[in-house]
Structures are given as structure tokens and as C-alpha cells.
Amino acid sequence: MKQLSKPKYHTVQNIVWMIGNAWRSCKSVLVLCVLAAALTVGVNMVQLFIAPQILSKVEQHAPLPELVSTIGVFSLALFLVLGLQAYVNQNTLYGRVQVRSYILGKLSLKSASTSFCNTLDTAVLDLRDKAYRSVSSNDQAGEHIWTTMTNLLANLAGFVLYLILMQNLDPLLLAVVAVTTCLSCLFTLRTNEWRYRHRDEEAKFFHQLQYLKNKAESVELAKDIRIFGLQPWLQGIYDSVLKLEEAFIERYSKIQLLGNAIDVVLSVARNGIAYLYLINMALEGSLSASQFLLYFTAISGFTTWITGILNEGMTLHRESLDLSSVREYLNLEEPFRFEGGKPIPAPGKDGYELRLQNVSFRYPKAECDTIHNLNLTVHPGEKLAIVGLNGAGKTTLVKLLCGLLDPTEGAVLLDGQDIRQFNRDDYYALFSAVFQEFSVLASTVAENVSQTVGGGDRERVRTCLEKAGLTEKIDSLPKSIDTQVGREVYEDGVLLSGGQTQRLMLARALYKNGPILLLDEPTAALDPIAENDIYLKYSQMSAGKTSLFISHRLASTRFCDRIIFVAGGNIAEEGTHEELVQKGGGYAKLFEVQSRYYREGRDF
């Protein structure tokens, strides 16, 4: 498996990337971001000047009408600016959610279309999980970065304006204020940084507790909890994880307490120095009472702007790291070809030939090959059965044939051409498949069969359901093929049994009508009668196709042209059912064991 590339994206690059996403999905986010920052500064400036200006009028013994008009002007300005700020803040949410949803859509598309081998790579899965966490809620980097950038803009603008306002004060005082503020902020940031550095540890506790909670409340596990008395066991695990989380919180609280204590000491020192300096200026007659109030308030606000710049800058850096994981996942190099490539050749009269040529395959971090130096040719129009014990490599073999995996060594050929030359999506289009794992979506029966919005060709859907032996069940449903499947989304959805779901998946494969039919344990959830019904229809379903049939039930393979018995990652035996039974090898022994349980009159 390939090594993950780790491209570096610095903060500026990630800001530009987010701006690009906003420009493509919701331009108003950019305008509102700047406007919100300007209004934040505007509100602060009005609040800064209102009290000193009123006090100045009192000091000047201004007439009452002038005093009242000053109060009215500032009150009206504050009312308007606060009202506009509230309006802007309220309306920024929708656009920011839209941008985050746009990024989520990109991630979903990447997850749905990435090379199948990436879904088996733990490094890729970890990166994917980090990417999704970064855009999972309003508070995560994928949306909160707009708040951070708005606050950073506001703090930078406020810092510049306050610096201009206080230019007549002693530079040494401003330096003392700036230094003490930076020291205080750095200790606070150090405290917050500790929690950020340990966020994976904290997230692990949360996910473990959430997992246990979900399992304890799940319908699927309800029977086991009661029959096997699992409640004390689950509670014990929950309590042990909870203790670890509490120990983590206690560690963080101690660090936070120390940071807060240092912050208090520095704040007292800073304000004390500012008080002494301004009081001294007032006693010397250099400052009026209104100027004293203005400058002292400005010094307090100046520290707020500095703190804000440092805090928001650090937050922006952390959010940039989170966004880097999003970009790294989206830009993850694909081992399969999904663009360009040679066109798929047209099928021959009897269909396509598939060939495995000296193929070996080893899963990531596995100690040995699952498939080793295997050679196999599936002839055009052939019905090939692949059988063997669990873990023999049957499913891996089929995943190699249908292009979900690439060999570690050797090649997979389609009519003599290496499939790595083709666009992999075009190659996938050749296969109609029923896999062991069901993939039913919360949608109608017709949509699950046709895999299209609206249900596709309804007559064709019904024909495929009939071939799969599901017509009677579907006709008994309230809305027939328009009935919703599953109750995860729709309360009135129908719950199909395992066998019925397997038939539904078979109908889906028939609807696609690819030239190569792949059935991986298609009757595992069916009873013997239903299983026999599927076998009787198999010739009809596979007519004109190259077909691959995987099963651990050897009796089900008699209708196939050829059977290969897989063992130890290679083909141990091959032939028809009768030929393999006569050989008396591994296939015959396994068939003998299985057939005992179906013989009439046998006592066990």
C-alpha cells in the first residue's frame, strides 16, 4: 500500500483556500465577515467615547439641551450600530453553514469515490476522520474560522485606532501595558495549548463513552444485554473510561488554575501602573477628569485588542492545522486511475475474458500474502464457482478480479489488457455484483433496485424483483415498490429480513445488467428452499454474461461450468463438481462433511 503524502499548507494558504470555497458557494460570507469586524470596532469606539464626552460637557457646564443632545446622539449611534451588528451576526450563520456544507460535500464525494484500497488503509482512515471532525459542527475549524478571522480583523483595526488615540501618552507606559498583556496572554495560550495538544486523548474518552452509551441503548444489542446479563460489564467499562476522563480534566484544571493566577497578578500590576501614571498626570493638571476616563478606558481596551490579536492568531493557527487535514484528504493521491486511460474494449460474442497473471496480494501490515502467485483465466461466458473454507481468500480473489484491489505483484487482465490502463470507474461499470455486506439505503424499493432518484424504469424494476423472487413480498407492502426501506429516516419504512434484503440486492445487480455478474455468497441469508429457487433461476440470470459465484456451500455450485477450490491463497483444485468429488481431495472431503447434514434418516 502506498505511503501517504503529507503536503504542507500554511495558514495563509488555508485562508486563501477558505476564501475560494466561500467565493464559489456563498460570496456573502466574505462581505459579512468584513462588515462584522467593522461593526465590532464601531460599537467599541462609540462605547469608549460616550462617557468621556458626557463628562466633558458636565465639566464645561454645558447647557442642559446641549448635554441632552450629546447623550441622545451617542445613544442613537450606539442603538444603530448595535442593531446593525446584531442583524449581521444573525445572518452570518446561514452562509457559513453553507460553506461548511460545500466542503462536507467535497469530503463525501472523496470518500465515495476514492480508491477502494484507501478504505483499508488505517493512515487514510485516520486522516479522513480528522478531516470530517474539522467540519463536523459550527464550532469546528471548517466554520468557526470565519469567526476567528472576523475577530482578528476587528482586533487589528481596534489596536491601530487605539494606538493612534494614545499617541500622546508616554511610550514607556504603552510598552509596559503591551509587555504585561503579552505575558499574560502567553500563559493563557500555554494553558489552552495543552488542551489542544491533548485533544486526541480527550476525544478518545468522548468517543469511547459515546460508543458504550449507544451500545447500551441500541435495539440490536438489547436482547444480548438481557439474556447474557451484560449490563454490569458495560457499566464497569463505562466507569473505568469515565475515571480516565475525570483524571484528564483534573490535570487540565490544575494547569488552568496556574495560568489564571499568573493572569490575575499581571493584570493587577498593569492596571496599577496605568492608574498611578494617569493619576499623576491628573494631579499635575495635564489631564481633565474626562480625559482621565478616556485614557484609562482606552488602556484597558488596548490590552483587550492585544490579547485578542494573540488569542485569535493562535486560534487561527490551530484551525489552519485542522483545515490542512481536510485539504490533505481531498488532495490524497489516488493509486487507481480515475481520469483518462484507455477505452474499455467492446465485449466479444460470448463476453469478456478475465485473467489473473502471477497475482499475489497482501493486505496492509499483514505478515503473509492472502493470495500468492495465482494464475486463473475466466473464459468469456463461463459460469465459474469459487469455493473454499473461510479465510481461504475467495472474496479477496473476487475483489482483485473486479478492480477493487490491485495486486501486490502480477496483473489482472481484461481481454489481455492490464486493467490499470483503464479508467477504473469505466471498469467498475462492467460488473453487476451482490456482495456479502448489504448496502441498503433509506429510500424506496424502486430506488434501491435502480440506484436512481425516482426509481428509474419501473417495469424493469418489477422484472428484476420477479427474477430475484421478491415480487410476492413487495406486492404485499403498502406502497409496493414505492415503499420506503428501513426506519433510520422514515418512520413508516419497512424492515426486510436478511434473506429478503439479499434478494433485493440481487434485483439491484440484475437491474444494472453488467456483462460480468458477480455473486459473493448471494444465498447466505436464505433458507434451503429459497436458495434452491435462486439456483434454478441462475442460468436465466447469467445468460450471455461471464459470471463468478462465490459460496462456502459446495452443493450450490453444481450448476456452474467450472469450480475452483481455493486454499492457502492459491487454487488447490479445479474442475466440475463431479470431477472434484471423484478426485477425493479437499473439495470432496469438505463436500462430504457438508452433505451429511442434509441426508435423510441420519441421526446426530
Side-chain angles (χ1 to χ4, degrees), residues 38-313:
L39 289 169
T40 298
V41 176
V43 168
N44 185 276
M45 295 302 290
V46 173
Q47 291 174 333
L48 173 67
F49 281 100
I50 186 170
Q53 284 298 316
I54 293 172
L55 183 57
S56 175
K57 294 298 180 182
V58 173
E59 287 179 324
Q60 297 170 12
H61 303 288
L64 182 61
E66 185 177 343
L67 179 62
V68 171
S69 64
T70 300
I71 295 173
V73 168
F74 274 96
S75 297
L76 179 61
L78 188 61
F79 173 78
L80 292 175
V81 177
L82 283 172
L84 185 56
Q85 183 186 44
Y87 176 80
V88 169
N89 289 341
Q90 180 66 31
N91 285 278
T92 55
L93 175 64
Y94 310 110
R96 293 176 183 184
V97 170
Q98 187 172 335
V99 175
R100 179 164 64 88
S101 299
Y102 175 74
I103 298 172
L104 269 170
K106 285 184 172 183
L107 289 174
S108 297
L109 180 61
K110 179 70 174 182
S111 297
S113 60
T114 191
S115 304
F116 182 79
C117 58
N118 282 340
T119 68
L120 307 175
D121 192 325
T122 54
V124 174
L125 296 179
D126 287 342
L127 181 60
R128 181 199 65 186
D129 291 343
K130 287 181 180 179
Y132 272 103
R133 278 203 305 271
S134 299
V135 290
S136 62
S137 68
N138 306 103
D139 297 328
Q140 296 300 325
E143 183 176 332
H144 190 268
I145 191 171
W146 300 112
T147 299
T148 303
M149 289 195 292
T150 298
N151 293 340
L152 184 59
L153 283 174
N155 282 291
L156 287 169
F159 173 80
V160 172
L161 290 175
Y162 273 49
L163 199 60
I164 295 172
L165 178 65
M166 297 186 298
Q167 60 182 331
N168 294 327
L169 297 179
D170 190 338
L172 182 60
L173 173 65
L174 297 180
V176 169
V177 170
V179 169
T180 55
T181 301
C182 289
L183 287 174
S184 177
C185 188
L186 287 174
F187 279 109
T188 302
L189 290 174
R190 184 69 177 172
T191 301
N192 296 334
E193 186 68 16
W194 184 91
R195 189 164 193 171
Y196 179 78
R197 290 198 312 271
H198 295 80
R199 67 192 186 282
D200 290 339
E201 181 181 354
E202 186 177 17
K204 181 182 70 175
F205 298 139
F206 172 80
H207 290 309
Q208 287 176 344
L209 291 172
Q210 193 65 34
Y211 171 82
L212 290 168
K213 176 180 178 293
N214 292 339
K215 287 299 180 183
E217 297 174 353
S218 70
V219 176
E220 293 82 2
L221 202 61
K223 298 187 293 295
D224 299 279
I225 290 174
R226 287 154 179 79
I227 295 297
F228 291 99
L230 301 181
Q231 180 59 33
W233 179 45
L234 292 173
Q235 187 65 50
I237 299 174
Y238 187 90
D239 291 341
S240 64
V241 176
L242 192 61
K243 286 180 181 179
L244 293 174
E245 184 185 43
E246 289 171 350
F248 174 87
I249 294 173
E250 184 178 355
R251 278 189 294 158
Y252 174 67
S253 298
K254 290 178 180 178
I255 294 172
Q256 191 177 42
L257 181 62
L258 177 62
N260 290 340
I262 295 173
D263 180 54
V264 169
V265 171
L266 290 172
S267 296
V268 170
R270 178 176 61 248
N271 291 334
I273 293 171
Y275 261 127
L276 289 174
Y277 175 82
L278 293 175
I279 289 173
N280 183 60
M281 289 186 67
L283 292 175
E284 291 178 351
S286 302
L287 289 179
S288 64
S290 59
Q291 289 174 320
F292 177 88
L293 178 60
L294 174 64
Y295 282 127
F296 184 74
T297 306
I299 287 173
S300 299
F302 188 62
T303 63
T304 302
W305 295 129
I306 295 174
T307 301
I309 291 171
L310 293 174
N311 282 333
E312 300 301 335

Side-chain angles (χ1 to χ4, degrees), residues 536-598:
L536 293 175
K537 295 179 179 178
Y538 184 76
S539 294
Q540 179 186 1
M541 290 186 290
S542 59
K545 303 177 185 296
T546 301
S547 61
L548 304 166
F549 182 82
I550 305 176
S551 179
H552 68 278
R553 300 178 185 176
L554 305 191
S556 67
T557 60
R558 296 186 179 188
F559 55 84
C560 293
D561 300 323
R562 181 167 54 120
I563 301 167
I564 61 172
F565 180 69
V566 180
N570 215 310
I571 300 174
E573 303 172 26
E574 65 176 300
T576 64
H577 174 76
E578 290 74 16
E579 289 171 348
L580 292 175
V581 169
Q582 289 176 5
K583 283 183 180 179
Y587 179 93
K589 292 177 182 178
L590 184 58
F591 178 71
E592 171 64 21
V593 171
Q594 291 184 0
S595 62
R596 290 178 192 170
Y597 297 94
Y598 294 96

Side-chain angles (χ1 to χ4, degrees), residues 347-359:
K349 182 180 66 173
D350 297 322
Y352 288 103
E353 177 192 85
L354 289 171
R355 192 191 323 161
L356 297 179
Q357 188 175 68
N358 302 320
V359 165

Side-chain angles (χ1 to χ4, degrees), residues 333-404:
E333 183 180 353
E334 293 293 344
F336 296 171
R337 184 193 300 273
F338 290 108
E339 295 180 358
K342 294 177 62 176
I344 299 289
K349 182 180 66 173
D350 297 322
Y352 288 103
E353 177 192 85
L354 289 171
R355 192 191 323 161
L356 297 179
Q357 188 175 68
N358 302 320
V359 165
S360 295
F361 180 81
R362 180 176 300 188
Y363 284 99
K365 300 181 181 179
E367 295 182 356
C368 59
D369 292 342
T370 301
I371 300 293
H372 183 70
N373 196 31
L374 187 146
N375 288 279
L376 170 68
T377 299
V378 184
H379 304 291
E382 182 180 22
K383 299 177 180 63
L384 176 70
I386 304 172
V387 300
L389 297 173
N390 290 337
K394 304 186 298 296
T395 298
T396 301
L397 178 60
V398 170
K399 287 177 179 176
L400 289 165
L401 284 168
C402 65
L404 291 174

